[in-house]
Amino acid sequence: MVSKELEKALIEQLNKEYHSAYIYLGMSAYCSKEGFNGSSNWFLIQYQEEVAHGMKMFKYLEDQDVDINLPPIQGVKVDYNSLLDVFKKSLAHEQKMTKNLNILSDLAMKDKDHATYNLLQWYVTEQVEEEATVKAIIDHIKLVGDNGYGLYTIDKELGSRTFTDPTTK
Ligand code: OFO
């Protein structure tokens, strides 16, 4: 059984997953507007991944018989300065999510709630992969600087990303 304190924190996390999805939808819109169609695709896949993360949490809360309430999802500003800026903001967001998940893991550990702790470790591991992927993209963008052909090549590569449900691995 999940403690009331942890229940509340998990519902907040569920909300944050959908908020993340919303952030990535906005990033996709920004990239599309700027003509970075490959990056727009990349962020759309990221959006889908966040929805899958939310669904995994939702299913867990249902399995644990938690009374689920769904607070509103905070709006997002679609306001970025460049391709580098949008990926840097994505990384900063993921780092914030990792912090949240670590706090949640501490809470589950304090409660000796092994099932929830296990679930959260899946998210923590997922964060490592997400941060590393975005860091690599940032490095590539920095490498080419303002070189149009370089940016075009990176964008093209990002366009090849396809969706695989992360919760099935
Ligand atoms: Fe849900 O992992 Fe990113 O935010």
Side-chain angles (χ1 to χ4, degrees), residues 2-86:
V2 182
S3 72
K4 284 289 162 206
E5 185 187 10
L6 198 47
E7 259 188 34
K8 191 170 165 272
L10 291 173
I11 288 173
E12 276 168 19
Q13 184 60 30
L14 171 68
N15 186 276
K16 285 186 169 74
E17 296 295 344
Y18 287 111
H19 182 236
S20 296
Y22 218 28
I23 287 174
Y24 288 125
L25 199 58
M27 289 181 172
S28 175
Y30 167 79
C31 292
S32 164
K33 192 177 66 162
E34 295 299 313
F36 292 116
N37 294 335
S39 306
S40 174
N41 167 69
W42 193 92
F43 280 116
L44 259 193
I45 304 284
Q46 197 60 21
Y47 157 85
Q48 285 177 276
E49 287 213 354
E50 296 302 341
V51 170
H53 294 172
M55 284 312 297
K56 186 177 176 78
M57 184 69 71
F58 180 75
K59 175 82 175 59
Y60 180 76
L61 293 170
E62 277 198 327
D63 287 349
Q64 290 285 5
D65 217 14
V66 168
D67 281 331
I68 298 173
N69 62 74
L70 297 171
I73 299 163
Q74 200 193 322
V76 300
K77 266 216 322 225
V78 182
D79 187 15
Y80 303 99
N81 301 320
S82 63
L83 193 63
L84 181 60
D85 181 49
V86 74

Side-chain angles (χ1 to χ4, degrees), residues 13 17 48-57 101 105 114-130 164-169:
Q13 184 60 30
E17 296 295 344
Q48 285 177 276
E49 287 213 354
E50 296 302 341
V51 170
H53 294 172
M55 284 312 297
K56 186 177 176 78
M57 184 69 71
L101 287 159
S105 297
H114 295 269
T116 303
Y117 182 79
N118 248 340
L119 172 92
L120 292 168
Q121 291 322 284
W122 181 88
Y123 285 89
V124 168
T125 307
E126 180 79 354
Q127 286 303 119
V128 174
E129 195 187 304
E130 284 194 323
T164 312
D165 187 341
T167 65
T168 57
K169 66 186 181 202

